[in-house]
Amino acid sequence: MFGYRVPAPDEAMLISGGRRGLGGAPFRVVTGHGKFVLPVFRKVRFLTLSMCEAEVTETCVTKQGISLHVRAVIAFKVGNDHESIINAGQRFLSDQEQMSVLTGRIFAGHLRAIIGSMTVEEIVTERQKLAAEVLDTSKTEMAKIGLIVDSLQIQSIDDGDTGYIDAMSAPHKAAIQRQAQIAQAQATQAAVEAEQAAARKQAEYARQTAVVKAEYSAEVDRAQAQAAQAGPLAQAHAQQEVLAAQTELAERQARLRQQQLVAEVVKPAEAEAERVRILAAAEAQRMKIQAEAAASYDRVALDRMLIDQLPQIVKEAAGGLSGANVNVLNGADGLGEIAAGLVSQGLTILDSVRQNLGGQDKDGQGNQGNKGDVNGLLQLRSGQSGKERRPDDGPVDVD
């Protein structure tokens, strides 16, 4: 719209003509909004409120008399209040670039004054303190011209060819170099130790690997040897078992053959020998009875007849043993007992006959009747003996 002017956000609009501004200023200040301006009767100018920069490069002498070349950068701007805008507008509106030149000169003077009161060590080690003091001393002057300083940075300090700063830093450089060398040596030592430890670990791992491989190889060899020996060992065990079985079978056959020989040869021979011995005993008994009969006058005929029949009785009794299956439990003693039993049986028969004959003699009977009774008694005894023991009656157990 015609006559309506609006300043930029970083500008202040100064309207001159007409009424005076605040505090008797020759112009009115407008910021942040627009305003109608009558043409011809009013004149509008704009003052920048943006950040400006001034660079200062100055040679200063320290308290020790050492020249230092100092380079600093100042960041400043026009204040936002109306008073600062009015002060800056009255001084720099026609040539706003002069703000940087004037600011640099102001700070150069304050910088020389402050450095002249400090030593090189303080300036080098306390740059922030130097900047703060320069800002404090220049604040009043900058406010008078409507400017405010946002920051002051000391970019470089150089003593030229004097070498004072280098000499001052030499101990620190030496200490730093020494520490660097120590650190490097420690790092090198640590690296060597790490390499040695790695080499030891590799050697130990290689040794363990070789041991494990050797153990595996030995185990494989043992397994192969056992596998190779398994067949012959199994065959040998099998042959050993076969030999043991054959030995046991031979022993059984020998025992069986021995039993067969005992049953077929020894026992029949023993039975035959016993029979012969019994016959001999009977013959001896017959001779004895014959002798006794000869000594007896009254019983000559009877004893003669009994003596003649006794061998027949014993023979009949002994005949039962021929071919009989006799189990003799106590060997030769058992056979002797059998023979003694047969002889005793014959003698018992003989005694019975004698008693019967004696009773009949008392009753007055003759010898012919006695002979018949004796024959009958002998037949009876013979029959009983044959009935009691026959060849097929089975074995006789003699305890």
Side-chain angles (χ1 to χ4, degrees):
M1 183 180 288
F2 182 77
Y4 190 79
R5 307 295 296 272
V6 179
D10 58 348
E11 290 180 339
M13 186 172 61
L14 306 180
I15 302 172
S16 61
R19 294 182 300 172
R20 289 184 175 270
L22 184 62
F27 50 79
R28 287 181 291 173
V29 178
V30 178
T31 58
H33 60 85
K35 195 172 183 62
F36 284 102
V37 179
L38 294 175
V40 182
F41 299 101
R42 304 288 187 269
K43 190 174 182 179
V44 177
R45 300 285 184 87
F46 294 95
L47 179 67
T48 181
L49 301 179
S50 63
M51 181 68 66
C52 299
E53 180 180 305
E55 184 175 340
V56 177
T57 302
E58 191 70 23
T59 301
C60 307
V61 179
T62 65
K63 183 179 179 179
Q64 299 161 319
I66 299 173
S67 298
L68 297 178
H69 300 285
V70 180
R71 183 172 178 272
V73 176
I74 303 100
F76 68 93
K77 65 182 291 296
V78 177
N80 293 328
D81 59 288
H82 283 222
E83 184 178 0
S84 297
I85 293 173
I86 291 172
N87 291 335
Q90 289 178 343
R91 292 171 176 82
F92 306 110
L93 185 60
S94 59
D95 189 4
Q96 298 185 25
E97 293 182 358
Q98 288 296 320
M99 289 189 293
S100 297
V101 177
L102 182 59
T103 299
R105 290 175 180 175
I106 292 172
F107 272 89
H110 289 290
L111 192 61
R112 284 194 302 270
I114 293 173
I115 288 177
S117 64
M118 298 176 66
T119 64
V120 177
E121 289 80 5
E122 291 175 347
I123 295 170
V124 173
T125 58
E126 298 179 4
R127 290 190 181 186
Q128 191 63 32
K129 177 182 177 181
L130 173 62
E133 290 183 2
V134 172
L135 285 174
D136 290 337
T137 56
S138 63
K139 186 181 296 183
T140 303
E141 293 183 12
M142 294 292 289
K144 288 181 181 180
I145 60 177
L147 301 177
I148 58 174
V149 179
D150 288 340
S151 67
L152 170 63
Q153 296 294 330
I154 306 297
Q155 291 187 342
S156 65
I157 299 174
D158 186 12
D159 61 352
D161 297 333
T162 59
Y164 187 88
I165 296 177
D166 293 337
M168 183 179 64
S169 63
H172 301 285
K173 289 181 179 179
I176 292 173
Q177 290 178 356
R178 183 172 60 255
Q179 293 177 357
Q181 291 175 357
I182 293 172
Q184 182 65 34
Q186 292 177 350
T188 303
Q189 182 179 0
V192 172
E193 291 177 354
E195 290 178 358
Q196 292 177 354
R200 286 195 298 269
K201 288 182 178 179
Q202 290 179 356
E204 180 65 20
Y205 180 76
R207 186 186 67 81
Q208 293 179 356
T209 303
V211 170
V212 172
K213 287 182 178 179
E215 291 177 353
Y216 286 164
S217 179
E219 186 175 356
V220 170
D221 292 341
R222 286 195 299 270
Q224 291 177 352
Q226 291 177 357
Q229 294 175 358
L233 286 175
Q235 185 177 2
H237 286 309
Q239 292 178 354
Q240 185 176 2
E241 292 178 356
V242 170
L243 291 175
Q246 291 176 352
T247 302
E248 184 178 0
L249 179 60
E251 291 177 354
R252 290 182 179 179
Q253 291 177 351
R255 288 195 297 270
L256 179 60
R257 182 58 183 166
Q258 183 179 5
Q259 293 176 358
Q260 290 177 353
L261 290 174
V262 170
E264 294 176 357
V265 178
V266 176
K267 288 185 178 180
E270 290 178 352
E272 181 63 23
E274 186 64 20
R275 186 181 68 81
V276 172
R277 191 176 66 83
I278 291 172
L279 292 176
E283 182 64 22
Q285 186 68 25
R286 184 183 67 81
M287 295 297 294
K288 181 180 178 181
I289 294 173
Q290 185 176 6
E292 291 177 354
S296 177
Y297 176 77
D298 295 330
R299 302 291 298 275
V300 174
L302 179 60
D303 290 340
R304 182 67 182 178
M305 181 182 60
L306 291 175
I307 290 170
D308 292 337
Q309 294 296 326
L310 183 58
Q312 185 64 29
I313 295 171
V314 175
K315 183 177 181 181
E316 292 295 332
L321 295 175
S322 179
N325 188 9
V326 179
N327 292 329
V328 179
L329 301 180
N330 54 353
D333 294 337
L335 293 175
E337 290 177 1
I338 293 174
L342 293 175
V343 174
S344 177
Q345 185 177 5
L347 294 176
T348 302
I349 295 172
L350 182 59
D351 291 338
S352 298
V353 172
R354 285 178 178 177
Q355 290 177 2
N356 291 330
L357 291 177
Q360 289 178 1
D361 289 340
K362 291 179 180 180
D363 292 338
Q365 295 180 357
N367 290 334
Q368 186 68 31
N370 293 338
K371 185 177 181 181
D373 293 336
V374 170
N375 291 331
L377 182 59
L378 291 174
Q379 292 177 359
L380 178 61
R381 288 291 184 180
S382 177
Q384 290 178 352
S385 176
K387 182 177 181 181
E388 290 177 356
R389 176 51 51 194
R390 292 177 298 183
D392 56 349
D393 285 343
V396 176
D397 295 332
V398 178
D399 294 334

